[in-house]
Amino acid sequence: MRSRGSWKIRIFIGLAIVAFAFIQRCNNKEENPYTGRVQNINMSADQEIAIGLQSAPEMAQQHGGLYPDERMQALIDAVGKKLVNNSIARETPYQYDFHLLADDRTINAFALPGGQCFITYALFKQLNESQLAGVLGHEIGHVIGRHSAERIADSSFWQTLTMGATVGADMGGVVQGIGQNTLLTNGRGDELESDELGVLLMIQSGYDPYQMIEVMKILKAAAGPNRAPEFQSTHPDPENRIQKIKEAIIKYQGR
Ligand SMILES: [Zn+2]
């Protein structure tokens, strides 16, 4: 049994923590100069680059290491470089590196904060050069969009908020639920923003942006009836993405 006094103190401390979390969050707001979107970020570009470089070897190892054929790697380097040097990516402070992973069973590509981008051989072997540019453009989009940094800032915000709510009242579970939903929603938004940036990068670098739609079809076919969960969990429905990609092509190319 708790006395009324301690209950009041718990609420007070809880509200103070929640207020602190909100103030901290508001102070972290900054406009992304490449997307125009106001984001909640609590790290510098240099820190993003450091985190990416530090995590890259482990990420490679988790996917069976790097693909041994240097000619394939050279092709990825060339396409990546073409995208970076001819687009808004050139103006960003990030260090872009493109890695071909040996994994020939998992269809996947991802980016670490600061510019380290990865594609598995399983996905790579299904793509022509323009489609490869689409995938790499999408991954560069995650870097430019600062999605990892945003999620890190969001998760520490939700952790603080959850802590405050748990101290104040027995609402921890509820707030945690909101937090997770928010993270997932951001994740889907991230994918759509990266698709749009990918389309922009393709157009700026002279690639046919409609090949991004072909990438979506390849991903959809790869997801298949049996292999859905892995991809669907973090990525929006390919049909939805195709619609948004068409809108982005019209926006940037005018046709
Ligand atoms: Zn993505």
Side-chain angles (χ1 to χ4, degrees):
M1 294 290 276
R2 287 185 211 122
S3 73
R4 185 171 286 183
S6 85
W7 186 79
K8 273 185 182 166
I9 288 167
R10 276 164 60 88
I11 287 287
F12 179 77
I13 294 171
L15 287 176
I17 292 172
V18 170
F20 177 71
F22 271 111
I23 290 164
Q24 204 182 31
R25 187 176 165 81
C26 293
N27 284 344
N28 289 335
K29 286 207 183 306
E30 51 184 280
E31 188 182 317
N32 188 317
Y34 310 104
T35 63
R37 195 161 59 84
V38 175
Q39 296 177 285
N40 175 48
I41 303 262
N42 55 9
M43 65 177 73
S44 68
D46 282 344
Q47 284 173 306
E48 287 177 88
I49 292 167
I51 289 171
L53 286 172
Q54 211 167 23
S55 323
E58 201 188 304
M59 292 306 273
Q61 214 169 25
Q62 278 178 17
H63 289 82
L66 298 174
Y67 192 78
D69 188 332
E70 285 179 18
R71 284 171 308 168
M72 303 286 181
Q73 177 59 53
L75 175 62
I76 290 183
D77 286 337
V79 172
K81 211 177 220 175
K82 188 172 167 184
L83 285 167
V84 171
N85 290 343
N86 294 290
S87 70
I88 55 164
R90 190 185 46 199
E91 301 154 24
T92 64
Y94 301 115
Q95 293 174 17
Y96 298 94
D97 283 311
F98 304 91
H99 310 281
L100 179 58
L101 298 166
D103 190 335
D104 63 356
R105 283 194 285 185
T106 319
I107 303 255
N108 205 5
F110 53 89
L112 294 172
Q116 301 298 307
C117 302
F118 299 82
I119 179 171
T120 62
Y121 184 70
L123 177 55
F124 170 80
K125 71 182 176 188
Q126 299 203 36
L127 307 173
N128 64 30
E129 187 185 330
S130 300
Q131 291 158 357
L132 175 63
V135 171
L136 298 183
H138 172 95
E139 298 311 324
I140 296 169
H142 279 304
V143 176
I144 296 175
R146 306 186 77 185
H147 297 150
S148 297
E150 200 172 14
R151 248 172 281 137
I152 290 166
D154 265 340
S155 65
S156 57
F157 166 74
W158 284 110
Q159 274 160 15
T160 312
L161 197 61
T162 306
M163 192 171 72
T166 311
V167 171
D170 256 337
M171 290 276 288
V174 176
V175 175
Q176 213 160 21
I178 297 166
Q180 277 168 5
N181 281 340
T182 302
L183 292 181
L184 282 178
T185 307
N186 283 348
R188 292 195 192 94
D190 291 351
E191 294 312 322
L192 297 177
E193 185 173 86
S194 296
D195 285 345
E196 182 173 337
L197 285 166
V199 164
L200 175 63
L201 265 53
M202 288 177 89
I203 292 170
Q204 290 181 327
S205 309
Y207 286 108
D208 172 15
Y210 283 95
Q211 290 296 315
M212 187 69 105
I213 292 171
E214 298 307 311
V215 171
M216 293 305 132
K217 290 177 184 168
I218 290 166
L219 294 180
K220 194 181 177 183
N226 300 324
R227 303 185 57 185
E230 166 190 296
F231 217 84
Q232 301 294 335
S233 58
T234 52
H235 287 70
D237 178 51
E239 291 300 332
N240 184 10
R241 291 176 76 178
I242 287 172
Q243 185 52 39
K244 298 279 183 192
I245 288 166
K246 283 179 181 164
E247 288 169 20
I249 294 171
I250 291 164
K251 178 176 165 185
Y252 294 119
Q253 202 175 47
R255 62 188 145 94

